[in-house]
Amino acid sequence: MAFRKDFLWGAASAAYQLEGGYRADGKGLNIWDVFTNCHSAGIKKFVRYNETGNEACDHYHRYKEDIALMKKMGLKNYRFSINWTRVLPDGIGKVNEQGIKFYSDLVDELIKNGITPLVTLFHWDYPYELYKKGGWLNPESSDWFAEYAAVVVDALSDRVSYWMTVNEPQVFIGLGFYAGNHAPFLKLHSCDLLQMTHNVLLAHGKAVKVIREKAKLSPRVGFAFATACCSPLDNSKEETEAAYKRSFDFDCGNYLFSPGWWADPIFFGKYNEKGYEIFGNDMPHINEGDMEIISLPVDFYGVNVYDAKSIMTIDGYPEGTYTGMPRTSMNWAVTPETLYWTPRFLYERYGVPIMITENGLANNDWVSLDGKVHDPQRTDFIERYLKELRRAASDGVDILGYLHWSVMDNFEWADGYDRRFGLIYVDYRTQERTIKDSAFRYKEIMESNGERL
């Protein structure tokens, strides 16, 4: 059994990472706009080389050129996110019609070129005006998100069917408010982090409700979580069962990155009991009806997968890794088998179709003397991982689609522009684009629905 006939092949991006135009046409400021532009003397440097997303790939002005390249690459589906403050400059209240028009025009251009739009409502660019009101800690934060979702759904749902509510809450909470590595670069106590996770999940649920009630086309709704599973250390039944358990287990140090912490409330309507054992009175305040909203049905589990989840050891390498193993330019381990085990374990636990909403690698790419970008490592990476995903589909896992990260090189958050994930190379000095070799190989794979792997 191969991939389903209606398999969604494509690529993905995020608004802040490639759009630029950070003050164009009435757009408001988000936390990444504000904190990456804090370059005064004595202010901590948050991003390598003090880089910002102010211009990024200038996709805001070059989207037609970029979509033409997507068509040339054979993409049939494109996942992109909406920049919240481009639509609602203050996060709530007055709508910026020019911002809505940009996304409406983007959707029209995609459809004109035979590319299906898949919309992510939130990919980390939180409105600064709402951040000043407490952000995700404010009890009203989920209502703010629902208001924003309603504006976008009203504008685009006559042409958009696929919706993702939030992207990687594990990361924007874990790195933004726990580790302090991403905007707004804070380190908060667990009681605040726990309440934030509840408010984010509540925002997800309220957005699902808005989409179901207001969408003009029949919607398919999910999310995009960053929660890979553990891979078994051998093929035994005992080790497979142990890997499954390790995948969804957590303790006080890793709960933010456990699939079970985030997904169990959505699918089971309650937090994992272990959370109450570990955190006691620090567990989130839950109002009557909250869990019913959080657990509103979704159509798919979107997951961003780059490498297998590793359990840290006291000494030496994390479990499942070894000396000298292949790694990407992000220093992430190359573990193709994770595209077998992660979808399998998620499907076994939650029972909805799985969409790989991100997968790819950062590589040291450049334009060669012949004017092309030869990236054999990315080509090899794509083939290795997709073979494992096809194996999962052959074993009965319902795989809805695969979206490569990313459609083009872009701003890689705190790492700036050095980390190149794209199928398209971007010269940031000139904004010249060059399709990489890997994109043409990916095109062959997509055209054959994965048969030519």
Side-chain angles (χ1 to χ4, degrees), residues 33 69 87 96 112 119 157 188 266 336 359 378 398:
D33 292 325
L69 292 176
V87 172
N96 178 24
K112 186 174 77 173
V119 169
S157 67
L188 302 184
I266 293 174
N359 172 249
R378 181 171 290 102
D398 190 355

Side-chain angles (χ1 to χ4, degrees), residues 111-263:
I111 293 171
K112 186 174 77 173
N113 284 273
I115 302 171
T116 299
L118 295 81
V119 169
T120 305
L121 289 173
F122 180 69
H123 198 133
W124 305 2
D125 39 18
Y126 197 82
Y128 185 61
E129 292 302 316
L130 298 184
Y131 166 76
K132 291 193 294 184
K133 295 180 179 182
W136 291 116
L137 273 176
N138 191 308
E140 298 180 23
S141 57
S142 60
D143 291 326
W144 298 339
F145 190 69
E147 177 183 336
Y148 157 64
V151 172
V152 177
V153 171
D154 181 64
L156 303 182
S157 67
D158 58 334
R159 290 152 290 163
V160 173
S161 297
Y162 283 91
W163 299 89
M164 278 144 275
T165 55
V166 294
N167 181 83
E168 296 187 349
Q170 301 82 0
V171 179
F172 71 75
I173 297 296
L175 296 189
F177 297 91
Y178 171 69
N181 296 329
H182 281 189
F185 305 97
L186 298 178
K187 297 182 179 181
L188 302 184
H189 189 275
S190 62
C191 61
D192 283 343
L193 298 171
L194 292 163
Q195 189 60 51
M196 277 185 172
T197 65
H198 182 72
N199 291 344
V200 169
L201 286 170
L202 196 56
H204 155 81
K206 289 182 179 180
V208 171
K209 186 174 187 291
V210 165
I211 296 167
R212 298 278 190 218
E213 292 178 349
K214 294 182 176 295
K216 299 162 189 174
L217 295 180
S218 179
R220 301 202 63 182
V221 188
F223 46 75
F225 282 176
T227 47
C229 294
C230 294
S231 298
L233 301 179
D234 58 47
N235 293 323
S236 68
K237 178 182 178 182
E238 293 76 15
E239 175 54 29
T240 299
E241 292 174 351
Y244 177 92
K245 183 178 184 301
R246 291 194 299 270
S247 295
F248 298 99
D249 202 3
F250 60 86
D251 57 32
C252 62
N254 70 356
Y255 69 99
L256 285 172
F257 291 90
S258 166
W261 174 253
W262 294 92

